[in-house]
Amino acid sequence: MDSSKTVVMNRPEHEQPRPRVELGIQSDAAFTEAAKALRGRDLTSISDLSVQELAAILELAHAVKGRPEDFRHALDAKQMVLIFEKASLRTRLTFETAINTCGGNAIFVDQTQSVLGERESLADVAHNLERWVDVIVLRTYAHETVTEIGENAKVPVINALSDYEHPCQAIADFCTLEERFGSCEGLKFTYVGDGNNVCHSLMLAGALLGAHVTVATPKGYEPELDVIHKAIAFAEQTGGSIQLMHDPVRAVTGADAVYTDVCISMGQENEATKRTPIFRPYQVNEDLMKHAAEHSVFMHCLPAHRGQEVTDAVIDSAQSIVFDQAENRLHAQKALLLMLLGGAKRIPRDRGMGKRRRA
């Protein structure tokens, strides 16, 4: 594909357009309905959520951030296990802090020196864990590990990162954008870099929230086709849109938010020599950010490889909200746990609380 060409992916022919849905939570009854539907569920993918369910989680995240004492005992005696095959700073600490500050308890199992499913089957792991804990949080290499344990466990299973998606990160990121802009509806959101797990979840969440999502990747590093189709279907319901292209300048032009991630993820270290020159034109630097809107923000899920996918001048700039994103991992995950474990209650958010609105 020519580097200047924009691709607006079409909906698969066998899928019919879906009717538009109402964005946001408009009443206590709507929140209660979403909370009831989420209780006891798994979160393996953003696509597990409806428009209203994602909106309810975000509304609750704002509530717990503003009034944490109201939820101090909401998860009393609840037990959460975190089983991680990959290293983690933000995900582990925010999940542990989230349940601890709601009255529950966290148990961390370091699986970084072995692989889930090798010592015993994933089904047997699930059947053991469900007897001891109320929720299972998994950070794995293979997405199938999350889905198989989810299919076998009777307690909620949360995907805390897999090779396919990073839904908890996306929830925190759009929570951060709502803080900044008041709403994500109509937001011009651009992702530059590898069409990876983070990109997948951002596309799906952005589409569910009515944002206009543009993704710029090198050729051969586009998002998975099934994710593209799901995101397009969601965007048709909400008035959002999905665009794919290879030109980072065109993608960033006029954007309200510019997002990037590492181009060499954990487990891809042996591809560094190949990937580094391919992704060099996709570095988010001051020259690229000049094409974004004047009020634009820069985002990154962290950890960042400074000087590779982003420069110090951008990530340390006044436009950068990367540490707001990191903070909101805590509030978003607390909201998610409250929803899945039955501790949610509605405290309506002031919809006009955005710090900075688009022009």
Side-chain angles (χ1 to χ4, degrees):
M1 185 171 69
D2 186 278
S3 63
S4 64
K5 186 175 181 180
T6 301
V7 175
V8 181
M9 299 295 296
N10 294 319
R11 173 174 28 83
E13 292 183 0
H14 65 279
E15 292 186 6
Q16 296 300 314
R18 302 178 187 182
R20 289 283 178 88
V21 298
E22 192 171 65
L23 299 179
I25 296 296
Q26 306 300 325
S27 67
D28 290 348
F31 181 89
T32 300
E33 183 178 349
K36 184 178 179 181
L38 284 165
R39 184 168 186 170
R41 288 247 302 271
D42 298 333
L43 180 72
T44 61
S45 164
I46 286 290
S47 62
D48 293 341
L49 302 173
S50 69
V51 172
Q52 292 296 304
E53 288 165 355
L54 178 55
I57 293 170
L58 290 173
E59 184 177 285
L60 185 56
H62 295 298
V64 299
K65 183 174 184 177
R67 295 170 59 170
E69 289 302 319
D70 287 18
F71 299 89
R72 179 67 69 188
H73 299 290
L75 299 180
D76 273 353
K78 297 293 186 183
Q79 300 295 314
M80 175 180 71
V81 65
L82 303 106
I83 303 180
F84 283 19
E85 292 179 337
K86 293 184 176 184
S88 173
L89 175 66
R90 280 154 293 277
T91 302
R92 175 183 175 180
L93 292 181
T94 51
F95 262 115
E96 290 191 2
T97 304
I99 199 161
N100 289 343
T101 53
C102 287
N105 183 60
I107 304 163
F108 179 73
V109 179
D110 184 352
Q111 200 77 14
T112 56
Q113 303 304 310
S114 55
V115 177
L116 279 168
E118 287 188 349
R119 183 167 173 265
E120 59 184 322
S121 73
L122 294 174
D124 283 354
V125 171
H127 294 319
N128 278 273
L129 294 175
E130 69 187 11
R131 303 296 181 102
W132 308 321
V133 301
D134 300 286
V135 58
I136 301 167
V137 180
L138 298 172
R139 186 175 176 90
T140 69
Y141 284 99
H143 188 68
E144 292 74 16
T145 300
V146 180
T147 56
E148 187 169 345
I149 291 183
E151 289 166 0
N152 285 281
K154 294 177 182 176
V155 297
V157 171
I158 298 174
N159 178 2
L161 184 143
S162 68
D163 59 356
Y164 187 67
E165 270 209 57
H166 198 357
C168 297
Q169 179 69 53
I171 293 171
D173 293 336
F174 281 96
C175 176
T176 308
L177 287 168
E178 284 193 342
E179 278 185 332
R180 199 73 175 183
F181 295 109
S183 168
C184 294
E185 184 178 2
L187 191 81
K188 295 179 181 178
F189 178 90
T190 295
Y191 176 92
V192 178
D194 191 10
N196 60 12
N197 48 2
V198 172
C199 176
H200 288 168
S201 292
L202 292 171
M203 290 174 64
L204 295 167
L208 278 171
L209 295 169
H212 299 296
V213 179
T214 301
V215 174
T217 67
K219 188 176 181 181
Y221 294 89
E222 297 88 353
E224 297 287 340
L225 195 58
D226 66 317
V227 173
I228 296 170
H229 288 159
K230 286 179 185 175
I232 290 170
F234 289 152
E236 286 182 343
Q237 296 179 62
T238 63
S241 63
I242 301 293
Q243 288 191 328
L244 304 177
M245 60 183 69
H246 297 317
D247 184 343
V249 172
R250 286 195 60 224
V252 165
T253 298
D256 297 305
V258 179
Y259 197 117
T260 193
D261 186 13
V262 295
C263 56
I264 303 167
S265 299
M266 284 183 283
Q268 296 176 333
E269 290 79 3
N270 61 350
E271 298 181 32
T273 301
K274 174 187 175 184
R275 282 176 169 256
T276 297
I278 292 173
F279 281 90
R280 190 169 295 127
Y282 293 82
Q283 181 190 70
V284 179
N285 51 39
E286 287 178 292
D287 287 340
L288 187 63
M289 286 299 293
K290 288 176 182 175
H291 297 277
E294 186 177 352
H295 60 259
S296 64
V297 296
F298 169 75
M299 306 180 75
H300 194 299
C301 53
L302 303 178
H305 293 171
R306 290 167 175 262
Q308 194 169 79
E309 78 274 4
V310 62
T311 60
D312 288 344
V314 171
I315 198 170
D316 294 330
S317 72
Q319 289 177 283
S320 175
I321 58 171
V322 299
F323 298 114
D324 292 339
Q325 294 173 254
E327 178 188 345
N328 285 333
R329 294 293 305 276
L330 169 62
H331 310 300
Q333 285 157 196
K334 188 183 289 189
L336 180 60
L337 290 171
L338 289 164
M339 283 291 192
L340 301 187
L341 297 179
K345 62 180 177 182
R346 191 180 194 219
I347 301 174
R349 173 183 176 229
D350 177 2
R351 303 297 298 177
M353 65 179 288
K355 293 178 180 177
R356 185 190 307 172
R357 289 190 172 278
R358 297 186 291 280

